[in-house]
């Protein structure tokens, strides 16, 4: 389940790609499948071990094109161990809502983006996120949880203040917004609640089968209730 459009990112053979806040690695895997030179970067060493294992499995079954490579790196978004302009594509998906020092984090993302490169940032969208916060403190008020709700225009301005130009904005995962509203209403840890289980089965079916009807439905709903907003920026030469 990808939150960004990899065609828009222009990820291909030997693209220098870093997935900042990689988590379970979903975007890193897609970049590797396209032959990029990938770094999955995250603070969670345990989760990155699983990502590293998947990189190896992908290579074994022939899912990595010639020239593609991948590695994991444990570290902090506020102090990344890379030289200025190290990456053609920098992705920070669903991470900035967790970071107190937002301006410092943005400065680091911009710093490691190469001149002419692309920075893509995704965060929870304001309205769906505001509903989740209203329904449940448990959803966000926990260690490592969401500490802010972004307005897309404000985030755009914060990144543009570092010299980048926004090239596109889009929304994603409209079908996931009601799922989180249900979880927040009944209890975010009550995964066995009948409504949660039923909606989860729908989402799994949709991801596995990718039927045209739900794709079209989600595309129509994304501008209204898309759970995430994705912003794409270019860095001038």
């Amino acid at each position: 389940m990808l939150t960004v459009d990899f065609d828009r990112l222009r990820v291909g053979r030997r693209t220098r790609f870093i997935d900042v806040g990689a988590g379970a690695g979903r975007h890193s895997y897609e970049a590797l499948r396209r032959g990029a030179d990938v770094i999955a970067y995250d603070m969670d060493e345990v989760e990155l071990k699983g990502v590293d294992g998947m990189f190896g499995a992908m290579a074994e079954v022939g899912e990595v094109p010639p020239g593609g490579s991948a590695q994991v790196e444990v570290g902090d978004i506020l102090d990344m161990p890379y030289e200025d302009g190290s990456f053609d594509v920098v992705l920070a998906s669903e991470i900035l809502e967790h970071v107190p020092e937002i301006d410092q984090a943005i400065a680091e993302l911009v710093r490691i983006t190469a001149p002419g490169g692309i920075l893509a940032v995704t965060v929870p969208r304001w309205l769906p996120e505001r509903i989740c916060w209203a329904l449940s403190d448990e959803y966000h008020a926990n260690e490592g949880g969401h500490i802010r709700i972004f307005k897309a225009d404000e985030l755009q301005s914060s990144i543009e203040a570092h010299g980048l130009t926004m090239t596109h904005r889009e929304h994603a995962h409209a079908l996931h917004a009601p799922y989180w509203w249900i979880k927040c209403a009944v209890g975010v840890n009550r995964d066995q609640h009948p409504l949660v289980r039923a909606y989860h089965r729908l989402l799994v079916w949709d991801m596995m089968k990718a039927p045209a009807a739900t794709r079209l439905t989600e595309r129509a709903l994304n501008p209204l209730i898309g759970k995430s907003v994705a912003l794409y920026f270019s860095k001038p030469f």
Side-chain angles (χ1 to χ4, degrees):
M1 186 186 72
L2 303 176
T3 308
V4 292
D5 182 344
F6 271 75
D7 292 333
R8 194 174 297 282
L9 295 179
R10 303 196 301 271
V11 175
R13 297 278 179 94
R14 302 189 185 281
T15 299
R16 297 174 299 167
F17 177 94
I18 184 168
D19 184 3
V20 180
R26 58 198 171 102
H27 292 108
S28 295
Y29 304 146
E30 178 63 21
L32 184 56
R33 289 188 186 99
R34 292 172 178 245
D37 182 7
V38 179
I39 292 180
Y41 187 88
D42 202 283
M43 295 182 69
D44 191 332
E45 184 174 2
V46 173
E47 192 149 46
L48 284 181
K49 286 182 180 179
V51 174
D52 196 37
M54 181 60 74
F55 286 155
M58 290 172 64
E60 288 181 7
V61 300
E63 289 190 24
V64 181
S69 65
Q71 65 185 73
V72 299
E73 181 82 37
V74 179
D76 189 339
I77 189 175
L78 301 178
D79 186 22
M80 291 187 279
Y82 308 110
E83 295 182 0
D84 295 358
S86 291
F87 299 96
D88 304 309
V89 177
V90 176
L91 173 62
S93 182
E94 311 299 299
I95 182 68
L96 292 181
E97 66 272 16
H98 300 274
V99 181
E101 302 87 350
I102 184 65
D103 197 62
Q104 184 178 347
I106 291 172
E108 275 291 272
L109 294 171
V110 172
R111 181 185 67 78
I112 66 172
T113 303
I118 296 171
L119 169 63
V121 173
T122 84
V123 295
R125 188 181 184 183
W126 185 87
L127 178 59
E129 186 77 347
R130 176 59 69 187
I131 293 172
C132 287
W133 282 46
L135 290 171
S136 171
D137 288 337
E138 188 180 15
Y139 168 79
H140 67 94
N142 53 73
E143 185 177 357
H146 298 185
I147 63 172
R148 66 172 57 82
I149 301 177
F150 285 101
K151 290 185 177 179
D153 288 342
E154 293 175 356
L155 179 58
Q156 175 185 336
S157 296
S158 295
I159 296 174
E160 288 179 332
H162 289 267
L164 273 61
T165 301
M166 194 182 82
T167 58
H168 188 70
R169 179 193 297 185
E170 61 191 2
H171 301 97
H173 308 321
L175 294 181
H176 288 252
Y179 173 72
W180 282 102
W181 296 339
I182 293 170
K183 282 179 68 75
C184 288
V186 304
V188 293
N189 294 315
R190 296 184 63 189
D191 293 337
Q192 298 307 310
H193 188 281
L195 288 177
V196 174
R197 291 178 63 188
Y199 203 101
H200 185 263
R201 284 197 297 268
L202 170 65
L203 293 177
V204 171
W205 171 80
D206 177 60
M207 286 187 286
M208 297 300 293
K209 301 297 184 181
T214 56
R215 294 300 93 203
L216 291 172
T217 299
E218 184 165 62
R219 192 174 303 158
L221 290 175
N222 273 336
L224 301 173
I225 60 168
K227 183 71 169 64
S228 298
V229 57
L231 307 176
Y232 301 80
F233 299 86
S234 64
K235 187 174 183 178
F237 287 98

PDB file of all heavy atoms in Angstrom, residues 177-199:
ATOM      1  N   ALA A 177      -9.670   5.913   5.919  1.00  0.00           N
ATOM      2  CA  ALA A 177     -10.130   6.890   6.911  1.00  0.00           C
ATOM      3  C   ALA A 177     -11.279   6.340   7.768  1.00  0.00           C
ATOM      4  O   ALA A 177     -11.224   6.416   9.002  1.00  0.00           O
ATOM      5  CB  ALA A 177     -10.526   8.196   6.223  1.00  0.00           C
ATOM      6  N   PRO A 178     -12.342   5.747   7.176  1.00  0.00           N
ATOM      7  CA  PRO A 178     -13.418   5.204   8.024  1.00  0.00           C
ATOM      8  C   PRO A 178     -12.947   4.089   8.945  1.00  0.00           C
ATOM      9  O   PRO A 178     -13.484   3.931  10.056  1.00  0.00           O
ATOM     10  CB  PRO A 178     -14.438   4.689   7.003  1.00  0.00           C
ATOM     11  CG  PRO A 178     -14.191   5.494   5.771  1.00  0.00           C
ATOM     12  CD  PRO A 178     -12.708   5.699   5.755  1.00  0.00           C
ATOM     13  N   TYR A 179     -11.967   3.320   8.493  1.00  0.00           N
ATOM     14  CA  TYR A 179     -11.433   2.253   9.349  1.00  0.00           C
ATOM     15  C   TYR A 179     -10.886   2.834  10.639  1.00  0.00           C
ATOM     16  O   TYR A 179     -11.179   2.328  11.741  1.00  0.00           O
ATOM     17  CB  TYR A 179     -10.342   1.492   8.597  1.00  0.00           C
ATOM     18  CG  TYR A 179      -9.600   0.476   9.441  1.00  0.00           C
ATOM     19  CD1 TYR A 179     -10.211  -0.701   9.845  1.00  0.00           C
ATOM     20  CD2 TYR A 179      -8.281   0.703   9.835  1.00  0.00           C
ATOM     21  CE1 TYR A 179      -9.532  -1.637  10.615  1.00  0.00           C
ATOM     22  CE2 TYR A 179      -7.598  -0.218  10.600  1.00  0.00           C
ATOM     23  CZ  TYR A 179      -8.222  -1.386  10.985  1.00  0.00           C
ATOM     24  OH  TYR A 179      -7.540  -2.306  11.752  1.00  0.00           O
ATOM     25  N   TRP A 180     -10.117   3.922  10.537  1.00  0.00           N
ATOM     26  CA  TRP A 180      -9.544   4.529  11.741  1.00  0.00           C
ATOM     27  C   TRP A 180     -10.596   5.257  12.560  1.00  0.00           C
ATOM     28  O   TRP A 180     -10.512   5.300  13.789  1.00  0.00           O
ATOM     29  CB  TRP A 180      -8.385   5.447  11.360  1.00  0.00           C
ATOM     30  CG  TRP A 180      -7.165   4.658  11.053  1.00  0.00           C
ATOM     31  CD1 TRP A 180      -6.648   4.351   9.830  1.00  0.00           C
ATOM     32  CD2 TRP A 180      -6.333   4.010  12.015  1.00  0.00           C
ATOM     33  NE1 TRP A 180      -5.548   3.563   9.964  1.00  0.00           N
ATOM     34  CE2 TRP A 180      -5.311   3.332  11.290  1.00  0.00           C
ATOM     35  CE3 TRP A 180      -6.334   3.938  13.403  1.00  0.00           C
ATOM     36  CZ2 TRP A 180      -4.320   2.603  11.924  1.00  0.00           C
ATOM     37  CZ3 TRP A 180      -5.339   3.217  14.039  1.00  0.00           C
ATOM     38  CH2 TRP A 180      -4.350   2.550  13.296  1.00  0.00           C
ATOM     39  N   TRP A 181     -11.611   5.794  11.928  1.00  0.00           N
ATOM     40  CA  TRP A 181     -12.701   6.399  12.700  1.00  0.00           C
ATOM     41  C   TRP A 181     -13.416   5.339  13.529  1.00  0.00           C
ATOM     42  O   TRP A 181     -13.762   5.571  14.694  1.00  0.00           O
ATOM     43  CB  TRP A 181     -13.680   7.102  11.764  1.00  0.00           C
ATOM     44  CG  TRP A 181     -13.074   8.255  11.020  1.00  0.00           C
ATOM     45  CD1 TRP A 181     -11.950   8.956  11.352  1.00  0.00           C
ATOM     46  CD2 TRP A 181     -13.549   8.828   9.800  1.00  0.00           C
ATOM     47  NE1 TRP A 181     -11.685   9.934  10.436  1.00  0.00           N
ATOM     48  CE2 TRP A 181     -12.644   9.885   9.462  1.00  0.00           C
ATOM     49  CE3 TRP A 181     -14.628   8.565   8.959  1.00  0.00           C
ATOM     50  CZ2 TRP A 181     -12.821  10.663   8.317  1.00  0.00           C
ATOM     51  CZ3 TRP A 181     -14.804   9.341   7.822  1.00  0.00           C
ATOM     52  CH2 TRP A 181     -13.907  10.379   7.511  1.00  0.00           C
ATOM     53  N   ILE A 182     -13.644   4.168  12.941  1.00  0.00           N
ATOM     54  CA  ILE A 182     -14.287   3.074  13.672  1.00  0.00           C
ATOM     55  C   ILE A 182     -13.418   2.646  14.850  1.00  0.00           C
ATOM     56  O   ILE A 182     -13.898   2.481  15.976  1.00  0.00           O
ATOM     57  CB  ILE A 182     -14.563   1.884  12.736  1.00  0.00           C
ATOM     58  CG1 ILE A 182     -15.615   2.250  11.697  1.00  0.00           C
ATOM     59  CG2 ILE A 182     -15.022   0.660  13.544  1.00  0.00           C
ATOM     60  CD1 ILE A 182     -15.763   1.224  10.585  1.00  0.00           C
ATOM     61  N   LYS A 183     -12.105   2.470  14.591  1.00  0.00           N
ATOM     62  CA  LYS A 183     -11.201   2.048  15.670  1.00  0.00           C
ATOM     63  C   LYS A 183     -11.177   3.076  16.796  1.00  0.00           C
ATOM     64  O   LYS A 183     -11.168   2.705  17.979  1.00  0.00           O
ATOM     65  CB  LYS A 183      -9.784   1.829  15.118  1.00  0.00           C
ATOM     66  CG  LYS A 183      -9.603   0.524  14.380  1.00  0.00           C
ATOM     67  CD  LYS A 183      -8.189   0.372  13.836  1.00  0.00           C
ATOM     68  CE  LYS A 183      -7.159   0.209  14.931  1.00  0.00           C
ATOM     69  NZ  LYS A 183      -7.204  -1.153  15.521  1.00  0.00           N
ATOM     70  N   CYS A 184     -11.139   4.343  16.434  1.00  0.00           N
ATOM     71  CA  CYS A 184     -11.125   5.381  17.466  1.00  0.00           C
ATOM     72  C   CYS A 184     -12.437   5.398  18.258  1.00  0.00           C
ATOM     73  O   CYS A 184     -12.436   5.666  19.464  1.00  0.00           O
ATOM     74  CB  CYS A 184     -10.872   6.748  16.835  1.00  0.00           C
ATOM     75  SG  CYS A 184      -9.183   6.982  16.243  1.00  0.00           S
ATOM     76  N   ALA A 185     -13.540   5.110  17.597  1.00  0.00           N
ATOM     77  CA  ALA A 185     -14.841   5.138  18.268  1.00  0.00           C
ATOM     78  C   ALA A 185     -15.021   3.966  19.227  1.00  0.00           C
ATOM     79  O   ALA A 185     -15.600   4.124  20.310  1.00  0.00           O
ATOM     80  CB  ALA A 185     -15.958   5.142  17.233  1.00  0.00           C
ATOM     81  N   VAL A 186     -14.506   2.780  18.857  1.00  0.00           N
ATOM     82  CA  VAL A 186     -14.738   1.589  19.692  1.00  0.00           C
ATOM     83  C   VAL A 186     -13.555   1.280  20.601  1.00  0.00           C
ATOM     84  O   VAL A 186     -13.675   0.478  21.530  1.00  0.00           O
ATOM     85  CB  VAL A 186     -15.059   0.350  18.818  1.00  0.00           C
ATOM     86  CG1 VAL A 186     -16.244   0.633  17.920  1.00  0.00           C
ATOM     87  CG2 VAL A 186     -13.847  -0.094  18.004  1.00  0.00           C
ATOM     88  N   GLY A 187     -12.389   1.903  20.330  1.00  0.00           N
ATOM     89  CA  GLY A 187     -11.168   1.618  21.087  1.00  0.00           C
ATOM     90  C   GLY A 187     -10.082   1.158  20.143  1.00  0.00           C
ATOM     91  O   GLY A 187     -10.248   0.131  19.468  1.00  0.00           O
ATOM     92  N   VAL A 188      -8.984   1.897  20.072  1.00  0.00           N
ATOM     93  CA  VAL A 188      -7.985   1.649  19.039  1.00  0.00           C
ATOM     94  C   VAL A 188      -7.317   0.285  19.158  1.00  0.00           C
ATOM     95  O   VAL A 188      -6.751  -0.226  18.184  1.00  0.00           O
ATOM     96  CB  VAL A 188      -6.900   2.753  19.046  1.00  0.00           C
ATOM     97  CG1 VAL A 188      -7.487   4.082  18.631  1.00  0.00           C
ATOM     98  CG2 VAL A 188      -6.229   2.861  20.406  1.00  0.00           C
ATOM     99  N   ASN A 189      -7.377  -0.338  20.335  1.00  0.00           N
ATOM    100  CA  ASN A 189      -6.766  -1.657  20.510  1.00  0.00           C
ATOM    101  C   ASN A 189      -7.762  -2.802  20.436  1.00  0.00           C
ATOM    102  O   ASN A 189      -7.396  -3.963  20.637  1.00  0.00           O
ATOM    103  CB  ASN A 189      -6.018  -1.718  21.848  1.00  0.00           C
ATOM    104  CG  ASN A 189      -4.815  -0.790  21.877  1.00  0.00           C
ATOM    105  OD1 ASN A 189      -4.046  -0.748  20.912  1.00  0.00           O
ATOM    106  ND2 ASN A 189      -4.660  -0.034  22.953  1.00  0.00           N
ATOM    107  N   ARG A 190      -9.014  -2.493  20.111  1.00  0.00           N
ATOM    108  CA  ARG A 190     -10.038  -3.539  20.041  1.00  0.00           C
ATOM    109  C   ARG A 190     -10.141  -4.084  18.614  1.00  0.00           C
ATOM    110  O   ARG A 190     -11.132  -3.916  17.904  1.00  0.00           O
ATOM    111  CB  ARG A 190     -11.386  -2.999  20.513  1.00  0.00           C
ATOM    112  CG  ARG A 190     -11.406  -2.576  21.975  1.00  0.00           C
ATOM    113  CD  ARG A 190     -12.792  -2.133  22.396  1.00  0.00           C
ATOM    114  NE  ARG A 190     -13.757  -3.248  22.298  1.00  0.00           N
ATOM    115  CZ  ARG A 190     -15.067  -3.099  22.433  1.00  0.00           C
ATOM    116  NH1 ARG A 190     -15.576  -1.896  22.651  1.00  0.00           N
ATOM    117  NH2 ARG A 190     -15.882  -4.148  22.334  1.00  0.00           N
ATOM    118  N   ASP A 191      -9.082  -4.774  18.193  1.00  0.00           N
ATOM    119  CA  ASP A 191      -9.020  -5.281  16.829  1.00  0.00           C
ATOM    120  C   ASP A 191     -10.049  -6.377  16.554  1.00  0.00           C
ATOM    121  O   ASP A 191     -10.346  -6.665  15.387  1.00  0.00           O
ATOM    122  CB  ASP A 191      -7.621  -5.821  16.533  1.00  0.00           C
ATOM    123  CG  ASP A 191      -6.572  -4.725  16.502  1.00  0.00           C
ATOM    124  OD1 ASP A 191      -6.949  -3.555  16.264  1.00  0.00           O
ATOM    125  OD2 ASP A 191      -5.380  -5.020  16.722  1.00  0.00           O
ATOM    126  N   GLN A 192     -10.567  -7.006  17.606  1.00  0.00           N
ATOM    127  CA  GLN A 192     -11.543  -8.075  17.415  1.00  0.00           C
ATOM    128  C   GLN A 192     -12.986  -7.574  17.458  1.00  0.00           C
ATOM    129  O   GLN A 192     -13.921  -8.378  17.361  1.00  0.00           O
ATOM    130  CB  GLN A 192     -11.333  -9.158  18.488  1.00  0.00           C
ATOM    131  CG  GLN A 192      -9.971  -9.823  18.434  1.00  0.00           C
ATOM    132  CD  GLN A 192      -9.651 -10.374  17.047  1.00  0.00           C
ATOM    133  OE1 GLN A 192     -10.456 -11.091  16.457  1.00  0.00           O
ATOM    134  NE2 GLN A 192      -8.479 -10.028  16.524  1.00  0.00           N
ATOM    135  N   HIS A 193     -13.183  -6.286  17.617  1.00  0.00           N
ATOM    136  CA  HIS A 193     -14.542  -5.751  17.572  1.00  0.00           C
ATOM    137  C   HIS A 193     -15.152  -6.085  16.209  1.00  0.00           C
ATOM    138  O   HIS A 193     -14.484  -5.980  15.171  1.00  0.00           O
ATOM    139  CB  HIS A 193     -14.517  -4.233  17.788  1.00  0.00           C
ATOM    140  CG  HIS A 193     -15.861  -3.625  17.957  1.00  0.00           C
ATOM    141  ND1 HIS A 193     -16.693  -3.359  16.891  1.00  0.00           N
ATOM    142  CD2 HIS A 193     -16.542  -3.231  19.075  1.00  0.00           C
ATOM    143  CE1 HIS A 193     -17.817  -2.819  17.324  1.00  0.00           C
ATOM    144  NE2 HIS A 193     -17.755  -2.728  18.649  1.00  0.00           N
ATOM    145  N   PRO A 194     -16.421  -6.489  16.166  1.00  0.00           N
ATOM    146  CA  PRO A 194     -17.027  -6.906  14.893  1.00  0.00           C
ATOM    147  C   PRO A 194     -16.930  -5.875  13.772  1.00  0.00           C
ATOM    148  O   PRO A 194     -16.651  -6.227  12.623  1.00  0.00           O
ATOM    149  CB  PRO A 194     -18.488  -7.172  15.275  1.00  0.00           C
ATOM    150  CG  PRO A 194     -18.438  -7.525  16.720  1.00  0.00           C
ATOM    151  CD  PRO A 194     -17.328  -6.697  17.307  1.00  0.00           C
ATOM    152  N   LEU A 195     -17.137  -4.588  14.082  1.00  0.00           N
ATOM    153  CA  LEU A 195     -17.044  -3.571  13.042  1.00  0.00           C
ATOM    154  C   LEU A 195     -15.614  -3.414  12.528  1.00  0.00           C
ATOM    155  O   LEU A 195     -15.391  -3.255  11.324  1.00  0.00           O
ATOM    156  CB  LEU A 195     -17.557  -2.230  13.581  1.00  0.00           C
ATOM    157  CG  LEU A 195     -19.065  -2.105  13.795  1.00  0.00           C
ATOM    158  CD1 LEU A 195     -19.400  -0.752  14.405  1.00  0.00           C
ATOM    159  CD2 LEU A 195     -19.818  -2.303  12.480  1.00  0.00           C
ATOM    160  N   VAL A 196     -14.652  -3.468  13.450  1.00  0.00           N
ATOM    161  CA  VAL A 196     -13.244  -3.346  13.059  1.00  0.00           C
ATOM    162  C   VAL A 196     -12.840  -4.536  12.194  1.00  0.00           C
ATOM    163  O   VAL A 196     -12.196  -4.385  11.147  1.00  0.00           O
ATOM    164  CB  VAL A 196     -12.343  -3.241  14.300  1.00  0.00           C
ATOM    165  CG1 VAL A 196     -10.867  -3.254  13.899  1.00  0.00           C
ATOM    166  CG2 VAL A 196     -12.670  -1.974  15.089  1.00  0.00           C
ATOM    167  N   ARG A 197     -13.216  -5.735  12.617  1.00  0.00           N
ATOM    168  CA  ARG A 197     -12.857  -6.939  11.857  1.00  0.00           C
ATOM    169  C   ARG A 197     -13.481  -6.928  10.470  1.00  0.00           C
ATOM    170  O   ARG A 197     -12.832  -7.283   9.477  1.00  0.00           O
ATOM    171  CB  ARG A 197     -13.288  -8.183  12.627  1.00  0.00           C
ATOM    172  CG  ARG A 197     -12.495  -8.440  13.900  1.00  0.00           C
ATOM    173  CD  ARG A 197     -13.018  -9.661  14.629  1.00  0.00           C
ATOM    174  NE  ARG A 197     -12.863 -10.867  13.823  1.00  0.00           N
ATOM    175  CZ  ARG A 197     -13.376 -12.043  14.146  1.00  0.00           C
ATOM    176  NH1 ARG A 197     -14.107 -12.162  15.255  1.00  0.00           N
ATOM    177  NH2 ARG A 197     -13.176 -13.089  13.378  1.00  0.00           N
ATOM    178  N   ALA A 198     -14.734  -6.517  10.405  1.00  0.00           N
ATOM    179  CA  ALA A 198     -15.417  -6.510   9.114  1.00  0.00           C
ATOM    180  C   ALA A 198     -14.776  -5.511   8.149  1.00  0.00           C
ATOM    181  O   ALA A 198     -14.544  -5.826   6.968  1.00  0.00           O
ATOM    182  CB  ALA A 198     -16.899  -6.175   9.310  1.00  0.00           C
ATOM    183  N   TYR A 199     -14.464  -4.328   8.637  1.00  0.00           N
ATOM    184  CA  TYR A 199     -13.864  -3.321   7.754  1.00  0.00           C
ATOM    185  C   TYR A 199     -12.441  -3.731   7.384  1.00  0.00           C
ATOM    186  O   TYR A 199     -11.995  -3.512   6.252  1.00  0.00           O
ATOM    187  CB  TYR A 199     -13.881  -1.939   8.410  1.00  0.00           C
ATOM    188  CG  TYR A 199     -13.809  -0.824   7.391  1.00  0.00           C
ATOM    189  CD1 TYR A 199     -14.944  -0.122   7.018  1.00  0.00           C
ATOM    190  CD2 TYR A 199     -12.611  -0.497   6.773  1.00  0.00           C
ATOM    191  CE1 TYR A 199     -14.894   0.884   6.071  1.00  0.00           C
ATOM    192  CE2 TYR A 199     -12.542   0.503   5.826  1.00  0.00           C
ATOM    193  CZ  TYR A 199     -13.688   1.192   5.465  1.00  0.00           C
ATOM    194  OH  TYR A 199     -13.625   2.174   4.506  1.00  0.00           O
TER     195      TYR A 199
END
